Amino acid sequence: MVSVVLMHSPFLGPSSMRPLADELASDGVAVLLVDLRMTIHEAPVHQRLIGAFADALEDAGVTGPLVLVGHSGAGPLLPAFADALELDVAGLVFLDSDLPTPGRAWRETVDPALVSQVKASVRDGKLPRWDRWFDSDPLRLVPAGLREEMRDEAPEVPWEFLKEQRPSVEWSGACGYVLLSPVYEDAALKAEELGWPVERVESHHLAAATSPSSVAAALKSVLNRL
């Protein structure tokens, strides 16, 4: 039986994925939600993230085969997460995220205007919490109790994280994509061009928290086609 390992965005915490994890578990899916918060407070962030992920899976005692699912900023790191494991990884699923860009930093892959905007908000080498990056609070879409939990979990990530080159790890195994918001449509189209199974949920970036049944159904459809 394949186990599904869920990774939250480095800019959020595990509560952003917990409703999805609970929905999958209620459907009989073997699922593990990894908490990566303690690894992102100082550089080198990528190295700390990947090491902590491997340790977390070892501590959890999971066995393969695994499918790794990464939301948002965790998506591009999925090949490196898989490479760090001694377990059998059967596939990777990108959940409303960019695709991997091995050897390139985040700031090399996005609009320079966004880089300038984010850099201008840095204080003492730290980025503001993710929900403060935007003119309109993205967490407004989340129900009140969960919203405050997600807000409390959101870390102030070092600016160095967005300057660090992503790990130069290639992945030649199975991949799939679940699109939640129009922001990542280009990534979904690229995934389709590569022949990956792709599912679209007409929602928003945090749909794993607010519409877990719809996201779970899309994810299971992709898993069945890997």
Side-chain angles (χ1 to χ4, degrees):
M1 180 177 183
V2 172
S3 296
V4 174
V5 181
L6 300 178
M7 274 83 70
H8 60 83
S9 164
F11 301 103
L12 291 170
S15 64
S16 63
M17 297 284 276
R18 190 168 295 119
L20 174 59
D22 291 345
E23 184 71 25
L24 290 169
S26 71
D27 287 343
V29 177
V31 60
L32 173 66
L33 174 57
V34 181
D35 185 348
L36 298 171
R37 283 177 293 168
M38 297 307 293
T39 67
I40 49 74
H41 294 289
E42 58 186 82
V45 180
H46 287 100
Q47 181 178 329
R48 289 163 55 82
L49 267 171
I50 293 162
F53 169 75
D55 290 344
L57 263 65
E58 183 176 345
D59 292 344
V62 297
T63 58
L66 308 174
V67 173
L68 309 185
V69 181
H71 177 235
S72 192
L77 304 182
L78 286 176
F81 283 136
D83 187 62
L85 300 177
E86 296 182 1
L87 299 168
D88 175 28
V89 177
L92 310 178
V93 179
F94 300 82
L95 180 61
D96 217 44
S97 79
D98 288 323
L99 302 188
T101 55
R104 299 177 67 196
W106 172 87
R107 66 176 184 175
E108 298 176 63
T109 65
V110 300
D111 185 341
L114 177 59
V115 176
S116 298
Q117 175 185 333
V118 172
K119 187 177 181 180
S121 68
V122 173
R123 297 291 182 271
D124 298 322
K126 301 277 190 177
L127 296 159
R129 291 189 326 227
W130 177 77
D131 58 295
R132 296 178 178 172
W133 288 21
F134 311 96
D135 294 333
S136 179
D137 181 6
L139 296 182
R140 72 190 186 282
L141 302 169
V142 179
L146 180 56
R147 180 195 313 144
E148 294 313 309
E149 185 178 1
M150 289 173 62
R151 202 184 304 280
D152 289 344
E153 286 183 350
E156 294 182 343
V157 178
W159 166 242
E160 288 295 323
F161 178 46
L162 301 186
K163 294 167 59 180
E164 289 176 6
Q165 290 185 345
R166 288 168 173 160
S168 294
V169 176
E170 301 291 343
W171 170 261
S172 58
C175 291
Y177 198 97
V178 177
L179 180 71
L180 305 179
S181 67
V183 174
Y184 292 98
E185 178 64 30
D186 286 349
L189 290 172
K190 177 64 174 177
E192 287 177 328
E193 290 173 4
L194 293 168
W196 300 358
V198 174
E199 287 290 335
R200 289 173 168 80
V201 179
E202 292 187 9
S203 187
H204 56 82
H205 191 54
L206 302 178
T210 63
S211 306
S213 59
S214 297
V215 178
L219 179 56
K220 288 187 292 183
S221 176
V222 168
L223 294 174
N224 289 335
R225 290 181 283 149
L226 287 180

